[in-house]
Amino acid sequence: MSDDTFSAMRKSILDGASDTASELAKHALAAGIAPLDAINNGYVPGMQEVGEQFAHGQMFLPDMMASAEAMRAALTVLEPELKKHGEERPSAGTVVLGTTKGDIHEIGKTLVGTLLSAHGFRVHDLGVDVPGEKFASKARELKADIVGVSALLTTTMKNQKGVIEELAKAGLRSHVKIIVGGAPVSRRWADEIGADGYAKDAMSAVALARELMERKSQGAVKELS
Ligand code: B12
């Protein structure tokens, strides 16, 4: 039953069919399918296939935009469910999140924000096409624990390094942990640019953020003793 639903979800993304994507998300919730399972097993594989077809010239920009709309329609239904549990808890930490300058891909970054909120983090989402200085000024204003920078293009990945440099310039580098992600980003790239962590998907981003908060509080204890 779920397999059929997941493959219909995948197809709704490939077809750029927002109404179908949204209806399937509602059915899935009614049938007790966990929202994250629907995202990871249904909609995201559809997006990956869209990317492949685009890369091979079998799909064009308007198709990719329609697919993105369909994905957004599904997430509009699923995100409130994902968020439900985070709100009642004390804050696990403050995260400033955004997609780097020159890059307007937002779906993955928004999902990371949603799951971090669902797990008790206070998330400030700066949106897309965000310059390094804006990450730094918001991190200072909110006394952020973590800054998360998304990049989906090989040409905008280098701007993740720019964000790290801006935080250093603002004198915040030792207080703020920086995490990076996005389809072309790897652990190796994260190490190369001096980020504190990399996560391949939204759930791993939560685990990473928790681990960094743990390390941060251990560091604080060490400083005190
Ligand atoms: C949807 C999409 C679009 C949409 C975006 C709509 C939107 N509102 O976001 C539109 C149509 C606008 C678009 C535009 C373009 N796109 Co586009 N797009 C995609 C596509 C198909 C899916 C991306 C997506 O949403 N995936 C689903 C989400 C859930 O996954 P995700 O983004 O990877 O995020 C997950 C992880 O990476 C991670 N993560 C993400 N961010 C972060 C941040 C942190 C801190 C952490 C820890 C983790 C993390 O967790 C997320 C959740 O699990 C990809 C293909 C692909 N395989 O990625 C191409 C792709 C990224 N696009 C591509 C291209 C070329 C473009 C354009 C240049 C096309 C053009 N000719 O204009 C423009 C660029 C515009 C710009 N300046 O940014 C290429 C990039 C190639 C490259 N090597 O750089 C890809 C790979 C397609 C391809 N195979 O050719 N695109």
Side-chain angles (χ1 to χ4, degrees):
M1 148 83 182
S2 287
D3 280 352
D4 288 348
T5 311
F6 292 149
S7 79
M9 286 168 170
R10 189 185 128 272
K11 186 171 181 311
S12 70
I13 298 298
L14 277 169
D15 293 346
S18 295
D19 290 349
T20 312
S22 160
E23 280 310 312
L24 285 165
K26 287 177 197 159
H27 284 309
L29 291 181
I33 295 176
L36 201 54
D37 284 345
I39 293 169
N40 288 338
N41 300 322
Y43 299 110
V44 166
M47 270 316 213
Q48 278 159 353
E49 210 169 320
V50 168
E52 278 155 33
Q53 292 199 9
F54 179 79
H56 292 106
Q58 294 155 346
M59 240 193 193
F60 301 98
L61 193 57
D63 309 311
M64 193 153 75
M65 287 170 87
S67 295
E69 276 310 310
M71 181 83 182
R72 235 200 313 230
L75 291 177
T76 302
V77 176
L78 298 171
E79 280 185 340
E81 282 305 306
L82 281 176
K83 273 187 188 152
K84 251 180 190 167
H85 308 288
E87 281 146 16
E88 308 107 38
R89 298 186 214 164
S91 173
T94 299
V95 182
V96 168
L97 188 64
T99 302
T100 189
K101 193 171 168 196
D103 196 325
I104 60 164
H105 293 86
E106 65 177 349
I107 296 169
K109 175 267 303 162
T110 306
L111 199 53
V112 169
T114 301
L115 281 207
L116 285 170
S117 304
H119 289 83
F121 285 87
R122 194 155 70 95
V123 177
H124 186 92
D125 190 338
L126 291 169
V128 297
D129 189 19
V130 183
E133 309 86 70
K134 202 161 165 194
F135 278 99
S137 65
K138 196 45 91 176
R140 179 190 294 282
E141 180 193 327
L142 299 180
K143 296 190 172 52
D145 300 295
I146 296 173
V147 166
V149 193
S150 182
L152 264 286
L153 300 171
T154 42
T155 49
T156 57
M157 278 166 68
K158 66 176 188 311
N159 297 335
Q160 292 180 320
K161 187 167 184 237
V163 175
I164 298 177
E165 286 163 359
E166 282 300 328
L167 283 161
K169 235 199 267 172
L172 298 170
R173 186 63 192 95
S174 56
H175 313 297
V176 181
K177 300 287 183 196
I178 298 163
I179 63 175
V180 292
V185 177
S186 63
R187 192 173 303 280
R188 197 162 152 204
W189 170 251
D191 289 344
E192 196 178 316
I193 63 174
D196 296 300
Y198 155 80
K200 69 173 190 335
D201 59 32
M203 214 40 231
S204 323
V206 172
L208 173 65
R210 282 180 166 160
E211 190 193 313
L212 290 173
M213 289 307 294
E214 186 101 340
R215 267 196 249 158
K216 244 188 138 195
S217 64
Q218 279 167 3
V221 170
K222 260 191 216 141
E223 266 175 37
L224 284 175
S225 57

